[in-house]
Amino acid sequence: MATTTAPVGVATGTRTSFAAGVWSWITTVDHKRIGVLYGVTAFLFFLIGGLEALLIRIQLARPENTFVSPDFYNQLFTMHGTTMIFLAVMPLSASFFNFIIPLQIGARDVAFPRLNAFSYWVFLLGGIFLNLSFFLGGAPDTGWFGYSNLTSKQFSPGHGVDFWAIGLQVLGISSLAAAFNFIVTIINLRAPGMKLMRMPVFAWMTLVTAFLIILAFPVITVALVFLLFDRFVGTNFYVPASGADPVLWQHLFWLFGHPEVYILILPAMGIVSEVLPTFSRKPLFGYPVVVYSGIFIGFMGWGVWSHHMFSVGLGPIADSFFALTTMLIAIPTGVKIFNWIATMWGGRVELKTAMLFAVGFIAMFIMGGLSGVMHASPPADLQQTDTYFVVAHIHYVLFGGAIMGIFAGIYYWFPKITGRLLDERLGQIHFWLNIIALNVTFFPMHFVGLLGMPRRVYTYAPGLGFDTMNMISTVGVFAIVIATLVFIVNFLRSVRSGETTGSDPWGGATLEWAIPSPPPAYNFASIPTVHSVHPLWEADASDLIKDVNRVRGPIHMPPSSYWPAVAALGIALLMSGMIFGWWFGIPGLLIMLVGLYSWAFEPCH
Amino acid sequence: MAVAAAVHPAPHEEHPTSTGLSSRKMLFWAFLGSECMFFGSLIATYLVYRGRDTVGPHPHEVLNIPFTSFSAFVLLMSSLTMVLALAACQHGDRRGTAGWLAATALLGMTFVGGQCYEFTHFFYDGLKLQGNLFGCTFYVLTGFHGTHVTIGVIWLWTLFTLAIRGKLPQEKSLDVEIAGLYWHFVDVVWIAIFTLIYLIQ
Amino acid sequence: MAASARGTRFLRSISALLVLLPLLSLGCTLRQFPQSSLHPQADYASQIQRLLEDLMFWVVVIFVLVEGALVVAVVRFRNRPGLPEPKMTHGHTGLEIGWTIAPAVILAFIAVPTVVTIFKTQSKPPAGALEVKVVGHQWWWEFQYPGLDITTASELHVPIGQPVAISLQTADVIHSFWFPAMGGKRDVIPTHTNAMWFTPEKIGTFPGQCAEFCGVSHANMRMKLMVQSREDFEAWVAAQKRPPVEPDSTSLAGKGKQVFLTAGCVACHTIAGISPGTIGPNLTHVGTRTSLAGALYPNTPEEMAKWIQDPPVRKPGSIMPKLGLAPDQIAAVVAYLQSLK
C-alpha cells in the first residue's frame, strides 16, 4: 500500500480478475477512473430523470389523463428536476472536471486524490438514497425548489421531503469536497509557465464553477438545516403561526439557486470554448474577454436571485433593481456568444459530431437566453412565471444548453478517454434527431405557457386550447428517447470496437492531446513547460510532445485507498439514520469516524 | 504566520506548486470561505427574524452580557495560545507545542462549558428551541458555532496526542498551522456573533 | 419627440404582428384559448401586453441577427477544398467594445419601459375601487367583499369599468392568484397581505387558476372571473345579500337541511344564520354558482351528488372527507344546497 511506481506504458486495470477489478475501482484515487465513474453514474441518473420526464409527458399528452396519479405525478416532476440538476448535469460536468482538468493543466492528478474519490462515493450514495424514497413510502413531491411552508410537517407529513432535504445535504457534501479540490488543483497544480491567462477556457470555467459551488452550497445547506430542524426537532423557522416568514426560504434557496444555474451552464460553456477552436482550426476569438465575461457572469450571479421571486410582491423598487441586474447579465452572455461565432468566422469549420453539438449549443442557448431576457422584465414575467413558458426557457438553457454542451464534450474527449472514436455516422444521426426532437418538445411550450397553462399541474381541462400543443410536446419526447438510444448504441459499440485513434484525432491545441489515448496512469511522463494558450499549435509542439512522454525516472503515484469510500458510506448511513433510525445512524457515525481518522493517518506518499 | 510558512516550506508537498503555497493550506482557505457563507446565512437569518417575535422571551430578557463577555474573552485568549503552539512547533519545541495545544484545547473546553451553562440557564428562563423565533435562530446559530468549537477541541487533542508522542516535529508544523487557521476562524466568527447578538440588540 | 413617438408606434405595430402572427396563423382567439395571457381584457393586462410587444420586437431582431450570423459562419466557413488556411486571429478590441455596447443599448430600450411599467402596474388603486379580499385555500379560492359583506367561492363577480382592488391572503400554504386576461399573477403568502388592481374592460367569463405549486391538487385549484354589466352585478349583489332560502320542512330540501345540520357539514361550512364553519366554502348562496369544488365541475345536482358522495375521489387530497351519507341523504342535501339561490 505504500508507494506504487506505475509501470510505463501499461494501462491500469487490465488482466485482473473481476473481484480484483471491482475492488480496484472502489479503491481507486486516479482522477481518470473517478472521472469515468462520475460519467457513467451520472448518465444512469440522467436516464432515470429522462424516464421520469417521459412519464410526465405521457400523463400530459391528453387533458384529464389518468396515466399516473396526481400524487405520483408530483413526485415525478420533483424528482425529475432534482435528478437532472443534482444527479445528472452537475456530476456529468464533474466527470469532465475529473478526467480533463489535470490533463489540460499538465498535472499528474488532482491536488487531493482521496478527497476526489470521497466526493464520488458520497455523490453515488446520496443519489441512491434520494431515489430509494420511491420504494420507501413515496418520493419527495414538493418541487425541486421545495417552497416552504408546503414542506412543513403539517402539509407534507410523509418522509418524501425528509429524503429530499437529507439527500441534498449529502450531495452538497460531495459537491463542496469536489469544488475545494478543483480550486486547489487549478490554482496550484498548473504546469510551469501556465499562467492563469494561459489556461484553457474549460479550466477557467471549472474554476469559476468551483468558486460558485463553495459559496452557494453553504446557503442551501443552512436553508435545509432550518427545514430539517423544523421537521425533526419542531423549531419554527418556516412556521407562519410563530411569525416566521416562508419567504425566507425563497431568498435562501434562490441565493443558492441562481448561482446554481451558472454552476450548470458554465462548464458547458467551457467545453464549447474548447471544441469550437479545434474544429475551426483557429484560436478562440477574444480569449481574455471570454474568460472575463465568465468571471463577470459568476459575480453577477449573486445579484439577481430575486428575479425568481417577482410574483412574491417585493415592491417596485426591488423588482426594478433585480430586473436591471438580470438584464446586465445578458451583456457578458451575449459577448460570449459573439466571440464563439467570431471564432468560427474565417476559420475552416469541420462539422464533426462534437462540433455540431457545440454549434447546436450556441443556437439553443440563444433561444433560452432571449426568452430569459423576456422574463427579466417583471411585468412580462408576472404573466410568464410558473407557466410552461418558463419550462420552455429552462429546457432550452439546460437541455439545449448544458446537455448539448456535455454531449459536445463526450464526442470530443471520448477518444482521449477510451482510445477509440465514437462512430461519426451514428453521432450525426444522434445530433440531428436530438436537436429536432428537443425543438418539437420544447418550442410549443412557449405558446402553451403564454396561452395560460401553469406548470406543475398533473392535468388540465379540455377546452382551454392546450391539447394539441401538449400532444406535440409528448411526441417530441419520444423522439428524444430515440435520439438518446442512438447515442447509447453508439457508445456501447464504440467502447468495444470503435475505430482506434492516436493521441490527437482532432488536432487539438491543449495539453491533453499531447499524451497517449487513453492516458497512462501518471498522465505526463515529464511535466511540460507551457508558453502559450494553445501549446500544441505552436511551432515547437512536436518537441513538447516528445518531451512530455519521455520517462526520466520512477514516477510516484498516490496509492489506492478504501478509506474515502468507507467515510462516504459512514456519512450516508449517518444522514439516512435521521429517517431509518439510530441503528443506521450510530453505526454510520462510527464508520465515518473510523474512515476519516484512518484516512487522515494513512501514509499517502 | 504567512511569513513563518514561507520560512519553513511545507514538508508534505513533494512537488512545488504553481503559486508556491501549500495545497492543503489553500484547500483550507477555500473551506473557510465556504464557512463564511454558512455562518453568514445563519447570522443573516437571525438578523432578519430579530424583532418579529410577539411572544417572549426576548433577547434583553435572557442574555447575560457580563458572563458571555468572559467566555468570549476566554476564546480570544485561546487564539493567543494557539499562536504560541504553532510558534513552539515551528521551533521544534515539543513540550511547548504539547503544552500550548493543551492550553488552547482547555480554553476551548471552557468556552463550550460556558455555552452549556448558558444554554441551561436560558432553557430555564423559558427560551426554547421549539419556542419563538429568537429561540430557534439563537440556539441553532450558537449551537453550530459551539459544534465547530467542539470539533476544534477534538482536533487539538488529537494534535496534542501526536505532539507528546513526538510525532509533530518541526517539519509537520503545517498540521498545527491549519488547525490554527480553523481555530482563529471560529474565534472570529464568535466575535461577529457576540457583537451582533449580544452587544447590538 | 413626435418622431420618437411615431418610431415606437411603428415598432409596436411590427412587434404586435411578430407576437401574434404565429398565434393568428393558428387561428388563435380568446374563445379557443380562454386562459390566454395574450388577449388582455383589462388595463393591467394591456400594459403588460404593450411591454411584451416591445420586448418581443427586440428579441426577434436579436434572434434573427445572431442565429443568422451563426448559420452564415457555419455555412460560409465550412471545411471544403480550396478554403484558405485560417488566419490565426486572436481577437479584435474594437469588435469586443462594439458588441458589449450594442446589447447594452438594446437593453436600455427594454429596461426603461420595464421600469415604467413596473411602477405603473404596482401603483395604488384609484379611489372608488371595488375592494375584494381573496383568500387561497388548499384547493379553492375564497372571495370576500368587505364593503358589501358578501363571501363567496371560486367565482369572482365584478362590474365592468370599475377598478377592482384585490388584497391577497392565504389560509394555509403559498398560492398564486392569476386571471391571465386581467394581468400578471401575484403570490398569496402566509404572514403577507399582497395587493393588485385592475379594471375589467370586457364583459364575459374568464378562467384563472392557482399558479404556485401548492400540493397534490394544485392543478384543480381553478376559478372564474365573471365580468358583468353594472346592472347584472348590482342584481347579483342584491341576491347575495339576501338571507338564505328557508325550505319547506316537509320537502326534500327541508330534509336536506336536517342532513346538513346533523351530518357534520356545519363544522366547516357557513350558511348565514344556520352554521358558522369557515374551513370550507361559504354555501349561503351556493345554488347561484355555476361551478363547484374549486370551479372544477359544473354545479349540477348530479355533479354535486357525486362530489358529496366522495370528495377525495373527485378532487385528490380534498380536505372535505367522505361523509358516508346514504344515497337518499345525499339527494336531500343536494336538493337543499341547490335551493340556496
Side-chain angles (χ1 to χ4, degrees), chain A residues 397-460:
Chain A
V397 176
L398 291 183
F399 193 78
I403 292 286
M404 295 264 279
I406 285 166
F407 272 125
I410 292 175
Y411 281 93
Y412 184 57
W413 280 307
F414 186 85
K416 179 51 59 190
I417 295 168
T418 62
R420 293 174 186 277
L421 289 168
L422 278 163
D423 184 74
E424 191 57 30
R425 208 168 48 87
L426 285 175
Q428 303 258 341
I429 295 174
H430 173 210
F431 169 76
W432 287 109
L433 255 178
N434 195 63
I435 196 162
I436 293 168
L438 94 85
N439 280 290
V440 171
T441 308
F442 299 117
F443 198 74
M445 289 183 185
H446 289 115
F447 292 119
V448 86
L450 290 175
L451 292 173
M453 179 161 165
R455 59 197 292 208
R456 303 175 183 126
V457 289
Y458 76 89
T459 193
Y460 50 94

Side-chain angles (χ1 to χ4, degrees), chain C residues 78-144:
Chain C
R78 74 187 181 282
N79 188 17
R80 57 186 190 275
L83 200 70
E85 201 50 35
K87 267 201 236 104
M88 292 287 123
T89 45
H90 290 267
H92 188 286
T93 313
L95 273 178
E96 300 288 357
I97 294 172
W99 62 43
T100 306
I101 291 177
V105 171
I106 292 178
L107 285 169
F109 278 110
I110 294 176
V112 172
T114 290
V115 173
V116 170
T117 312
I118 290 174
F119 279 88
K120 216 190 284 176
T121 52
Q122 296 192 28
S123 57
K124 284 213 159 51
L130 173 68
E131 278 180 49
V132 178
K133 182 178 162 195
V134 173
V135 183
H137 294 258
Q138 279 183 326
W139 289 275
W140 58 281
W141 293 98
E142 179 175 344
F143 303 117
Q144 301 172 14

Side-chain angles (χ1 to χ4, degrees), chain B residues 65-84:
Chain B
I65 294 176
F67 177 82
T68 315
S69 304
F70 172 73
S71 66
F73 177 74
V74 167
L75 197 62
L76 222 60
M77 284 304 104
S78 75
S79 263
L80 180 65
T81 55
M82 189 70 230
V83 171
L84 293 170

Side-chain angles (χ1 to χ4, degrees), chain A residues 243-262:
Chain A
D245 186 351
V247 175
L248 172 70
W249 166 272
Q250 296 188 26
H251 281 296
L252 291 173
F253 184 83
W254 290 115
L255 194 52
F256 149 81
H258 203 80
E260 172 69 19
V261 172
Y262 297 120

Side-chain angles (χ1 to χ4, degrees), chain B residues 13-30:
Chain B
E13 309 304 327
E14 284 191 346
H15 312 290
T17 61
S18 316
T19 55
L21 299 171
S22 143
S23 286
R24 279 203 298 152
K25 201 151 86 180
M26 191 181 290
L27 175 94
F28 219 79
W29 276 109

Side-chain angles (χ1 to χ4, degrees), chain A residues 112 176 180 184 187-190 214-215 218-219 222 225-226 233-237 242-245 248 597 605, chain B residues 14 17-19 21 23-24 26-27 30-31 34 37-38 41-42 45 49 52 129-131 133 136 140 144 158:
Chain A
F112 303 96
L176 284 167
F180 294 136
V184 178
I187 295 181
N188 240 1
L189 297 194
R190 280 166 291 136
I214 68 162
L215 299 176
V219 182
V222 168
V225 162
F226 293 160
V233 185
T235 51
N236 291 316
F237 284 102
S242 68
D245 186 351
L248 172 70
Y597 259 84
H605 285 287
Chain B
E14 284 191 346
T17 61
S18 316
T19 55
L21 299 171
S23 286
R24 279 203 298 152
M26 191 181 290
L27 175 94
F31 171 71
S34 198
M37 292 301 285
F38 180 81
S41 305
L42 286 169
T45 302
Y49 274 172
R52 283 181 71 103
L129 180 59
Q130 293 91 342
L133 295 175
C136 55
V140 169
F144 266 106
T158 310

Side-chain angles (χ1 to χ4, degrees), chain A residues 332-344:
Chain A
T333 314
V335 166
K336 275 189 168 228
I337 291 170
F338 300 140
N339 278 293
W340 289 327
I341 295 175
T343 303
M344 288 186 278

